[in-house]
Amino acid sequence: MSLGALYKRYEHHINTAAFLCGFIFDSFAFAHVDHAIIRGVLLMWLCVAGVGIIIHAKVKVDFERESFFGQIADWFAGFLPFVIQFAFGSVLSGTLIFFSHSW
């Protein structure tokens, strides 16, 4: 079985694992929410997710697949959903930590 076929078969599970990894990563990284840098990191994760969504949509719609740059962009766009899911997991974790510490 090829790597592409494995990816297609387990794509949903891989995306869920990326989301959970982002959630767990920031749960351990954000032990204290009183640091100003944590707000910057959360903003960075939101920007990564937003820019990733825009790039993913743009590459899937507008690039020519036959050109060398189009093939690289297509491969990169295939990798972006994992980055986006990781970023959303991190943002959710940070938001829940801020919410729970605000009580």
Side-chain angles (χ1 to χ4, degrees), residues 26-75:
D26 274 2
S27 293
F28 288 119
F30 294 163
H32 300 284
V33 294
D34 55 345
H35 298 292
I37 196 163
I38 292 175
R39 287 180 284 254
V41 171
L42 285 176
L43 180 63
M44 182 214 46
W45 282 126
L46 279 173
C47 290
V48 164
V51 169
I53 290 170
I54 292 168
I55 291 172
H56 187 266
K58 183 75 172 166
V59 167
K60 288 296 185 184
V61 171
D62 289 343
F63 278 93
E64 296 178 21
R65 304 289 184 251
E66 294 79 29
S67 69
F68 176 72
F69 181 71
Q71 290 176 353
I72 291 175
D74 195 35
W75 175 85

Side-chain angles (χ1 to χ4, degrees), residues 19 22-23 26 42 86-98:
F19 181 84
F23 188 89
D26 274 2
L42 285 176
F86 186 91
F88 278 135
S90 297
V91 168
L92 178 63
S93 173
T95 304
L96 289 176
I97 290 170
F98 273 112

